[in-house]
């Protein structure tokens, strides 16, 4: 009897909360419908990963092949090469690119001249809205072996020109540096918002105790934005197998493919151009499972060290 009464009370509280916040739930409804239609319903398509999908036969009549698509991918000739390239490029971007917006936000946070701060913010986050096609055009103008600006300077000082965009030894630094240049300003916006929430009285108390800028940074600023750093790190770890298809598809070519060919570009060629839809879906599911494991692991590590960082 007591359990029944408690259950009825919980239901009553639930519907009362719905009525009280009905406007907010109505505003949330379009987003829920969007996710159901475009995110959850298409998840049935992962069945293609276990089929030899044929457009003529359709979704249901295509024959089942079990884990053959996964086996073909894992035991393929290029598996270790593309996995190595994908993980290496992602880790380079994570190691060098993750800290860049934090450093930029910390520097901008110390700027007291309003117009200068706003100007730097605008200049640094505008590249985020430039497509990779335009970025490639800028890189060609800078790095082309014949008339690129950098090579013209090198020839001016008696050095031989370098074909940056076609040499495999240069492609990874170009990928990482161009990605940082394009995203650093936009990424700093989140950290600037987090910095705005740090209590100013803490800095005043620290200054009264004789703490300098470095002490304030280490003991107040960084702990104040710690949760934001951890959340964004977890998100970045979940995409470690997604090295950036748009960027690498534009920058890669047959000369630098040895160091730039990643899972997504390989799937585009093998899975889509050759219409091996089952293989492409299997690789996508493989990436999703790895991303899920990484997110859970990173979240557990973050919980373990929460309160012990800084």
């Amino acid at each position: 009897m007591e359990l029944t009464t408690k259950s009825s009370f919980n239901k009553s509280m639930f519907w009362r909360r719905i009525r009280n916040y009905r406007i907010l739930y109505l505003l949330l409804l379009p987003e829920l419908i969007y996710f159901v239609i475009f995110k959850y319903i298409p998840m049935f398509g992962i069945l293609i990963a276990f089929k030899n999908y044929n457009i003529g036969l359709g979704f249901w009549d295509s024959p089942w092949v079990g884990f053959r698509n996964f086996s073909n991918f894992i035991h393929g000739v290029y598996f270790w090469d593309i996995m190595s390239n994908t993980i290496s490029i992602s880790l380079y971007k994570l190691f060098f690119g993750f800290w860049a917006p934090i450093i930029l936000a910390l520097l901008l946070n110390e700027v007291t001249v309003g117009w200068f701060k706003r100007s730097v913010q605008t200049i640094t986050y505008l590249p985020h809205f430039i497509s990779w096609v335009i970025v490639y055009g800028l890189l060609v103008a800078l790095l082309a072996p014949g008339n690129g600006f950098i090579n013209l300077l090198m020839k001016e000082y008696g050095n031989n020109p370098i074909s940056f965009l076609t040499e495999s030894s240069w492609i990874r630094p170009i990928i990482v540096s161009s990605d940082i240049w394009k995203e650093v300003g936009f990424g700093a916006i989140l950290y600037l918002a987090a910095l705005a929430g740090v209590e100013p009285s803490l800095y005043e108390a620290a200054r009264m105790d004789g703490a300098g800028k470095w002490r304030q940074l280490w003991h107040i600023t960084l702990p104040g934005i710690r949760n934001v750093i951890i959340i964004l790190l977890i998100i970045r770890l979940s995409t470690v197998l997604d090295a950036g298809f748009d960027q690498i598809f534009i920058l890669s070519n047959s000369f630098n493919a040895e160091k730039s060919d990643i899972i997504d570009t390989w799937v585009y060629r093998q899975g889509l151009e050759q219409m091996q839809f089952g293989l492409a879906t299997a690789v996508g599911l493989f990436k999703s499972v790895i991303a899920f494991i990484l997110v859970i692991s990173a979240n557990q590590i973050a919980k373990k060290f929460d309160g012990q960082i800084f």
Side-chain angles (χ1 to χ4, degrees):
M1 185 69 178
E2 183 180 350
L3 290 176
T4 304
T5 304
K6 187 176 181 180
S7 175
S8 300
F9 176 76
N10 290 336
K11 289 181 180 178
S12 175
M13 289 295 295
F14 172 77
W15 289 112
R16 185 180 302 172
R17 187 179 295 111
I18 294 292
R19 287 195 301 271
N20 292 339
Y21 299 101
R22 57 186 179 275
I23 302 299
L24 295 179
Y25 285 113
L26 285 174
L27 292 174
L28 183 63
L29 189 61
E31 189 72 11
L32 290 176
I33 294 173
Y34 165 80
F35 272 94
V36 169
I37 295 176
F38 295 103
K39 301 295 182 180
Y40 289 100
I41 293 177
M43 287 179 67
F44 289 103
I46 65 175
L47 293 176
I48 296 176
F50 306 96
K51 289 190 169 197
N52 182 16
Y53 181 71
N54 186 295
I55 295 179
L57 295 176
F59 182 80
W60 297 111
D61 294 330
S62 296
W64 293 91
V65 294
F67 290 92
R68 186 197 301 172
N69 289 319
F70 297 91
S71 179
N72 291 340
F73 172 63
I74 294 173
H75 295 98
V77 177
Y78 299 104
F79 174 76
W80 290 111
D81 291 335
I82 62 175
M83 283 294 293
S84 175
N85 290 340
T86 303
I87 294 174
S88 297
I89 293 173
S90 294
L91 290 179
Y92 285 145
K93 286 185 176 182
L94 179 63
F95 183 79
F96 294 104
F98 181 76
W99 304 106
I102 299 176
I103 295 171
L104 178 61
L106 293 174
L107 292 174
L108 288 174
N109 192 52
E110 296 298 322
V111 177
T112 57
V113 182
W115 67 267
F116 180 75
K117 182 177 182 178
R118 290 191 296 269
S119 299
V120 173
Q121 280 185 266
T122 303
I123 292 170
T124 54
Y125 78 64
L126 277 179
H128 171 80
F129 302 100
I130 300 175
S131 72
W132 280 112
V133 176
I134 297 175
V135 174
Y136 179 74
L138 295 174
L139 290 174
V140 169
L142 287 172
L143 305 175
N147 56 359
F149 179 73
I150 302 298
N151 278 309
L152 289 176
L153 286 179
M154 293 178 65
K155 288 189 287 187
E156 187 71 22
Y157 289 96
N159 298 309
N160 294 325
I162 299 175
S163 184
F164 293 99
L165 296 175
T166 57
E167 289 194 11
S168 57
S169 59
W170 281 98
I171 190 60
R172 287 183 182 176
I174 292 173
I175 289 172
V176 174
S177 58
S178 60
D179 183 73
I180 293 173
W181 171 79
K182 191 173 186 296
E183 301 297 339
V184 63
F186 193 79
I189 294 175
L190 295 174
Y191 296 106
L192 286 169
L195 288 169
V198 179
E199 183 59 45
S201 61
L202 296 175
Y203 293 104
E204 296 176 6
R207 283 192 294 268
M208 292 179 64
D209 290 337
K213 286 293 184 182
W214 288 109
R215 288 284 186 178
Q216 295 175 34
L217 172 67
W218 188 254
H219 294 288
I220 299 175
T221 306
L222 290 178
I225 63 173
R226 178 185 61 197
N227 292 336
V228 176
I229 294 174
I230 291 174
I231 291 171
L232 293 179
L233 179 60
I234 292 173
I235 294 174
R236 286 292 296 269
L237 286 174
S238 68
T239 60
V240 72
L241 291 184
D242 186 9
F245 172 76
D246 294 346
Q247 178 194 19
I248 296 177
F249 182 75
I250 292 294
L251 294 177
S252 63
N253 51 61
S254 58
F255 299 100
N256 60 36
E258 177 188 357
K259 297 292 184 181
S260 64
D261 196 19
I262 60 172
I263 293 176
D264 291 337
T265 54
W266 183 85
V267 167
Y268 177 82
R269 295 194 311 273
Q270 302 296 325
L272 300 180
E273 286 185 351
Q274 298 185 20
M275 302 184 70
Q276 299 182 38
F277 300 109
L279 178 62
T281 308
V283 177
L285 182 57
F286 171 80
K287 288 178 56 181
S288 299
V289 171
I290 298 298
F292 176 77
I293 294 172
L294 289 172
V295 168
I296 297 299
S297 302
N299 191 41
Q300 292 301 318
I301 294 172
K303 288 181 179 179
K304 181 177 180 181
F305 289 98
D306 188 30
Q308 302 178 27
I309 303 175
F310 306 122

